[in-house]
Amino acid sequence: MKIITNRLNRAIGIVMGCFLVLTSCRTGDGVVSINAYRVPMDSVWDAVPNAEAVALLAPYKASMDSVMNEVKGEAAVSMDRFRPESPLSNLVADVLRQAAKDVVGRPADMGLVNIGGIRNVLTQGPVTTENIYEILPFENSLCILTLKGTDLRTLLENIAARGGEGVSGITMTIDSTGQVLQAAIDGKPVEDEHLYTVSTIDYLAEGNDGMTALTRAQSRTCPEGATLRSLFMQYVEHEQKVGRKLNAKIEGRIVIKEN
């Protein structure tokens, strides 16, 4: 192969806390090779910081810190997220359910958030803007869906198959294989022909994380600018304003019955 030109192209991106470096070698006959490697962005890079870069970023860091370190509220206890039910996922699902009131005039029949979307623990004590961003880092938008009772049953099966998710307004008993043994919404059995409102996030509304039943919604409303993080931030600020500390506990919303 006769090489007419030899050019090295490089692309750098950030993937899961690493720099992803892609290099390609091009010749007159096309791309000869493509190589990729990751450079972890960890504490090693803090050992000998670049003084010029630190000085350049200092005013921006100070400005950002003043925003991110602002205290928005206070947590009475530490709250984690886990399946089948957890204090933090209960709290977030409650916020989603209540948020529907501004859209449809009342809280949704059910709130739903995926455990995987809650990325950190809410620790006891002051809650800062940074804490909220760490807990809910994604730009997930509020979506209120209307589901027929038969499709709501399927949604509960979707949740059971995952071993539980963050829910509000419902109770479920499932077995260790992910089958629904009992379910109620607002303390009543699900009626097949009844229409129920489910307040969730756009990611799940698209059927992701196994929530395929949500794609069968009779209607869907996703108000512009209403992200889960902003809704949670508003909730924390409201609780602070009225003198309440954040609190949530396991209430038996999803219970696993051993076979």
Side-chain angles (χ1 to χ4, degrees):
M1 178 179 68
K2 182 179 180 181
I3 298 179
I4 301 175
T5 61
N6 193 338
R7 184 175 61 187
L8 184 67
N9 290 343
R10 173 172 294 189
I12 300 177
I14 299 177
V15 178
M16 296 184 69
C18 298
F19 274 120
L20 177 64
V21 182
L22 297 174
T23 61
S24 64
C25 184
R26 298 175 178 271
T27 73
D29 295 322
V31 177
V32 175
S33 64
I34 297 178
N35 298 294
Y37 60 94
R38 295 193 300 172
V39 180
M41 294 293 102
D42 53 28
S43 59
V44 171
W45 297 92
D46 295 330
V48 187
N50 184 289
E52 185 177 354
V54 170
L56 177 66
L57 295 174
Y60 303 101
K61 182 179 184 301
S63 177
M64 182 63 70
D65 287 347
S66 68
V67 174
M68 299 304 284
N69 291 336
E70 183 179 356
V71 174
K72 295 294 184 178
E74 186 171 354
V77 296
S78 292
M79 291 172 261
D80 205 345
R81 71 283 187 224
F82 46 80
R83 291 183 172 87
E85 177 191 354
S86 69
L88 186 53
S89 58
N90 281 355
L91 181 62
V92 176
D94 285 344
V95 170
L96 274 172
R97 185 181 174 216
Q98 291 297 320
K101 187 175 181 179
D102 293 334
V103 181
V104 298
R106 62 179 179 84
D109 295 309
M110 175 181 174
L112 172 64
V113 65
N114 56 321
I115 298 293
I118 305 173
R119 289 306 181 100
N120 210 344
V121 177
L122 179 62
T123 55
Q124 182 180 17
V127 179
T128 65
T129 300
E130 182 178 13
N131 297 146
I132 295 171
Y133 269 76
E134 290 172 342
I135 292 166
L136 301 169
F138 305 115
E139 294 296 319
N140 294 132
S141 298
L142 169 69
C143 282
I144 296 101
L145 312 177
T146 303
L147 261 65
K148 194 175 177 180
T150 50
D151 294 325
L152 182 65
R153 289 184 187 277
T154 304
L155 176 61
L156 300 182
E157 292 171 0
N158 293 161
I159 295 169
R162 299 277 295 178
E165 295 287 8
V167 297
S168 176
I170 70 163
T171 56
M172 298 173 60
T173 301
I174 64 178
D175 65 20
S176 57
T177 67
Q179 300 297 311
V180 178
L181 301 178
Q182 176 275 334
I185 185 162
D186 193 25
K188 303 172 185 176
V190 177
E191 299 178 22
D192 289 349
E193 298 303 315
H194 188 77
L195 293 178
Y196 296 92
T197 51
V198 178
S199 189
T200 186
I201 55 175
D202 54 350
Y203 175 76
L204 297 183
E206 296 293 341
N208 292 305
D209 274 10
M211 301 297 110
T212 55
L214 293 178
T215 62
R216 306 175 195 169
Q218 305 284 310
S219 66
R220 166 177 164 167
T221 303
C222 305
E224 186 175 355
T227 66
L228 173 55
R229 184 173 57 239
S230 66
L231 293 170
F232 192 75
M233 185 92 69
Q234 291 166 16
Y235 169 77
V236 174
E237 291 174 332
H238 174 267
E239 295 301 285
Q240 174 84 335
K241 184 177 180 180
V242 299
R244 285 195 295 260
K245 295 182 180 182
L246 305 181
N247 205 347
K249 59 184 179 181
I250 294 176
E251 301 174 342
R253 298 183 186 186
I254 300 180
V255 176
I256 296 180
K257 182 178 182 180
E258 298 298 331
N259 295 337

